[in-house]
């Protein structure tokens, strides 16, 4: 129960703590019911740990399928765990396996907008890996069909029930359906669909503001993409910069948005610099330095540390480093690790 309460909260949990929770509760099925697998997997995916999330979610799905009362468990919980498992596969590059699971899921019963959206995403990924123009066209067509079906289903549900979750699914599926139409060079159709998505986004924004809230990152990014696809490039630049202010250090989400802009820019007639000037520089640093045997005296070491730390801080900021790797073999390695921790950047230590 304490683990579940912590994971269900809105507070940010560092990846190291998520790993610790997984290590503690995975040793016993009594400590790790499927609900914990779901929450852990969801948080790990948001932090870009797709492979670790796959391990967590696949174990949770196995518990749902094989545990007592497995038939009764085939409900919303199992569906959600399966969807997140598919997402972890897609983010890991295993698009074919993700597609096969989704197609089987569609055969088992009525499809949800999220399942259709995932299938659209997987076919778009497969289009990027296609070995021939014909195969790419087929994958993009299937991608659009699934995204658009998800959009229509979610939009209808939103009109009937007025739930923000349905409107969110409509925004996700709709803007991606429009993006795929851009990739298929069907610009006029893409812009008509983007206008519909924009209207839904503005309605969600008004509801959030009337309740005392504001747009989250994905709502702001979807509005920006609707402006981009609609051909309103100046408005898109303003909207993307506003979205960047809401990302709150989640560089995985920022990279996802930038990758989408890079994909859309050429068929929209924009040069490559358009995407680069919208987003801050983001990079990963691999640090290695020789052992410094000559800095033996405390005074010389202290002066060296001060100079090196100042230079490290400057370069980390200049390069937009969000994650680093080091071996901890030399004083310089340790200083790099210390600087990364002090500036709240992710650091991975590779021991020899």
């Amino acid at each position: 129960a304490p683990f579940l309460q912590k994971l269900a909260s809105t507070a940010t949990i560092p990846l190291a703590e998520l790993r610790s929770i997984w290590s503690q509760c995975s040793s016993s099925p009594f400590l790790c019911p499927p609900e914990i697998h779901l929450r852990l997997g969801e948080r790990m995916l948001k932090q870009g740990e797709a492979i670790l999330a796959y391990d967590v979610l696949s174990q949770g799905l196995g518990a749902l399928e094989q545990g007592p009362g497995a038939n009764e468990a085939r409900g919303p919980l199992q569906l959600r765990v399966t969807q997140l498992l598919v997402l972890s596969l897609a983010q890991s590059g295993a698009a074919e396996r993700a597609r096969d699971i989704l197609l089987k899921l569609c055969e088992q019963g009525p499809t949800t907008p999220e399942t259709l959206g995932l299938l659209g995403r997987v076919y778009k990924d497969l289009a990027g890996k296609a070995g021939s123009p014909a195969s790419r066209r087929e994958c993009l067509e299937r991608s659009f069909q699934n995204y658009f079906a998800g959009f229509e289903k979610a939009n209808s549900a939103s009109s009937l029930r007025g739930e923000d979750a349905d409107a969110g699914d409509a925004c996700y599926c709709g803007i991606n359906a429009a993006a795929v139409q851009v990739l298929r060079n069907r610009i006029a159709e893409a812009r008509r669909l983007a206008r519909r998505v924009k209207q839904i986004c503005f309605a969600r924004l008004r509801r959030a503001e009337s309740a005392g809230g504001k747009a989250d990152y994905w709502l702001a990014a979807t509005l920006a993409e609707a402006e981009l696809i609609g051909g309103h490039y100046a408005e898109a630049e303003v909207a993307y910069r506003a979205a960047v202010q809401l990302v709150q250090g989640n560089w995985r989400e920022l990279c996802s948005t930038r990758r989408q802009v890079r994909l859309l820019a050429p068929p929209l007639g924009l040069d490559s610099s358009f995407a680069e000037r919208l987003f801050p520089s983001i990079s990963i640093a691999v640090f290695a330095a020789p052992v410094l045997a000559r800095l033996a005296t405390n005074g010389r070491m202290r002066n060296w540390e001060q100079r090196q730390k100042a230079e490290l801080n400057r370069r980390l900021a200049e390069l937009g480093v969000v994650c680093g790797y080091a071996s901890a073999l030399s004083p310089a390695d340790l200083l790099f690790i210390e600087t990364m921790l002090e500036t709240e950047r992710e650091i991975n230590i590779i021991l020899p």
Side-chain angles (χ1 to χ4, degrees), residues 6 18 38 56 70 130-132 152 173 199 311 322:
K6 188 175 187 66
L18 293 177
L38 172 64
V56 173
S132 68
E152 293 283 38
C173 290
Q199 291 172 351
E311 180 64 14
V322 296

Side-chain angles (χ1 to χ4, degrees), residues 72-275:
E72 291 78 5
R74 293 180 183 276
L77 178 60
Q78 183 168 345
L79 174 62
R80 183 60 179 154
V81 171
T82 304
Q83 289 170 338
L84 290 178
L85 179 73
V86 166
L87 184 57
S88 71
L89 286 168
Q91 290 185 3
S92 303
E96 291 85 355
R97 189 174 173 195
R99 175 202 57 200
D100 293 343
I101 293 173
L102 286 168
L103 291 175
K104 184 177 179 181
L105 193 62
C106 291
E107 291 172 0
Q108 292 173 352
T111 53
T112 66
E114 185 160 8
T115 298
L116 291 166
L118 284 167
L119 199 49
R121 180 246 165 91
V122 167
Y123 275 118
K124 187 172 76 169
D125 290 347
L126 289 171
K129 301 194 299 182
S132 68
S135 178
R136 181 178 183 273
R137 285 194 299 272
E138 181 183 354
C139 287
L140 285 177
E141 181 179 356
R142 292 189 179 186
S143 176
F144 171 73
Q145 289 171 350
N146 283 284
Y147 273 136
F148 189 71
F151 168 70
E152 293 283 38
K153 184 170 282 193
N155 196 30
S156 296
S158 177
S159 299
L160 288 171
R161 298 191 296 229
E163 297 285 344
D164 187 67
D166 294 324
D169 287 339
C171 287
Y172 171 79
C173 290
I175 200 63
N176 280 288
V180 172
Q181 290 298 72
V182 170
L183 300 179
R184 299 174 75 197
N185 291 314
R186 301 188 178 191
I187 307 299
E189 295 176 22
R191 287 179 171 164
R192 284 195 294 271
L193 187 50
R195 283 195 294 271
R196 294 179 64 187
V197 173
K198 187 175 169 182
Q199 291 172 351
I200 298 169
C201 287
F202 276 130
R204 291 187 69 205
L205 181 58
R206 286 192 295 271
R207 285 196 297 270
E209 290 175 344
S210 66
K214 60 181 181 179
D216 62 15
Y217 174 74
W218 284 116
L219 177 55
T222 302
L223 274 168
E225 190 170 331
E227 296 285 15
L228 176 65
I229 294 172
H232 309 127
Y233 303 133
E235 292 86 346
E237 286 197 41
V238 172
Y240 275 119
R241 291 197 173 97
V244 167
Q245 301 305 312
L246 300 172
V247 78
Q248 298 179 339
N250 192 323
W251 52 272
R252 187 199 68 81
E253 293 180 350
L254 200 61
C255 288
S256 175
T257 305
R258 182 172 62 180
R259 183 168 57 249
Q260 182 83 330
V261 175
R262 286 173 172 170
L263 198 61
L264 294 174
L268 289 172
L270 299 167
D271 60 47
S272 58
S273 66
F274 180 83

Side-chain angles (χ1 to χ4, degrees), residues 307-329:
R307 292 196 306 272
Q308 293 302 313
K309 184 167 283 192
E311 180 64 14
L312 281 170
N313 275 305
R314 186 185 71 80
R315 293 298 300 276
L316 290 173
E318 180 182 281
L319 298 172
V321 173
V322 296
C323 175
Y325 291 81
S327 64
L329 279 176

